[in-house]
Amino acid sequence: MLPGRQGGSACTGEDEHLVREAEKIAVALGRMFPGLCEVVLHDLRRPEHAIRVIENNLSDRQIGDSATELGLARIADPAYPGVIQNYPNRFPDGRPAKSTSIGIKNAAGEYIAALCLNLDISVLSPVTLTLSNLVATDSEHRDRPLETLRDRTARELREVVEEWCARRAATPRSLSREDKKALVRQLRRDGYFDSREAARTIADLLGVSRATVYNYAK
């Protein structure tokens, strides 16, 4: 059990009310996408027995199972991103999934719950294969796009950085120097430095100077 989660505001009636309201949302979402999207509500006040609701159980977890890495990261850091959206995931049997995790805070700014959606994309495989053949491009220029057809917005950049960090159960500022360098180089390869404000946005997210960002990008 992580310390400090059972006392103070974490166990107030207001917190319990929020979690119960989130339960209704989890059940409703699950019943809207039967057999396709697993919906899990984690009670982060009790990380060792976090799962409170699981609809369309596709991962073979049970009520009372422990929190995931994302849940533990939110417990440890109230500044952890509130929404991590559309990140790649995988069910225990190997099926690919697309996941979204939504943190729920109380009035004190503490994460008390997380609502997670895991979409089974394996059922879309036949359609995906047909479409992938239809939209496939030559491999000659895949490593570096020849052009960017639209500006990369600051919001899109933040989403990419947060998703990259979420796969490592970290926040942008908590990344090691080597991970920050790897992230910046990946962003450069993907064309995010084409925007004039990209370096400033990345620097703010990582908690470093713009000069450091340019140095990492070399």
Side-chain angles (χ1 to χ4, degrees):
M1 182 68 68
L2 295 183
R5 301 299 295 179
Q6 293 297 323
S9 61
C11 288
T12 65
E14 290 82 356
D15 289 0
E16 182 63 21
H17 174 75
L18 282 175
V19 176
R20 287 182 179 177
E21 290 298 297
E23 282 184 355
K24 293 189 288 187
I25 297 172
V27 172
L29 285 174
R31 292 179 182 177
M32 189 171 183
F33 302 102
L36 183 63
C37 184
E38 178 184 77
V39 182
V40 186
L41 178 66
H42 297 269
D43 187 340
L44 300 183
R45 300 170 301 172
R46 303 170 180 87
E48 290 184 351
H49 306 285
I51 294 184
R52 183 148 168 168
V53 172
I54 184 163
E55 290 285 319
N56 300 325
N57 191 341
L58 302 176
S59 60
D60 293 327
R61 290 176 290 174
Q62 304 297 325
I63 300 294
D65 281 357
S66 61
T68 64
E69 295 86 350
L70 270 179
L72 296 177
R74 285 197 169 107
I75 293 170
D77 182 9
Y80 197 86
V83 178
I84 306 294
Q85 193 157 20
N86 296 334
Y87 58 92
N89 212 337
R90 194 165 290 277
F91 292 111
D93 61 5
R95 284 174 296 162
K98 182 172 78 169
S99 298
T100 290
S101 176
I102 305 164
I104 300 170
K105 287 184 175 181
N106 61 12
E110 301 169 324
Y111 281 114
I112 59 170
L115 183 64
C116 301
L117 294 84
N118 302 308
L119 180 67
D120 182 359
I121 58 177
S122 68
V123 297
L124 305 175
S125 294
V127 177
T128 302
L129 179 59
T130 300
L131 292 177
S132 65
N133 290 333
L134 179 64
V135 303
T137 57
D138 290 339
S139 59
E140 181 180 356
H141 302 295
R142 283 182 183 171
D143 290 340
R144 182 168 179 82
L146 297 179
E147 61 179 346
T148 300
L149 299 181
R150 62 183 176 86
D151 289 337
R152 304 298 186 107
T153 65
R155 178 179 178 182
E156 180 183 359
L157 180 54
R158 289 190 182 93
E159 289 175 351
V160 170
V161 170
E162 289 172 356
E163 180 179 328
W164 196 92
C165 294
R167 293 197 295 268
R168 291 157 178 79
T171 64
R173 296 196 174 207
S174 71
L175 291 173
S176 68
R177 182 176 181 274
E178 290 306 312
D179 280 344
K180 288 180 179 180
K181 185 181 295 186
L183 171 58
V184 170
R185 289 178 176 175
Q186 182 65 51
L187 294 172
R188 177 179 57 78
R189 287 193 295 270
D190 292 344
Y192 284 93
F193 276 76
D194 295 340
S195 169
R196 291 180 303 172
E197 297 300 318
R200 181 188 298 277
T201 300
I202 296 169
D204 290 343
L205 288 169
L206 298 183
V208 298
S209 67
R210 279 188 292 172
T212 298
V213 169
Y214 285 121
N215 184 51
Y216 286 168
K218 293 179 181 178

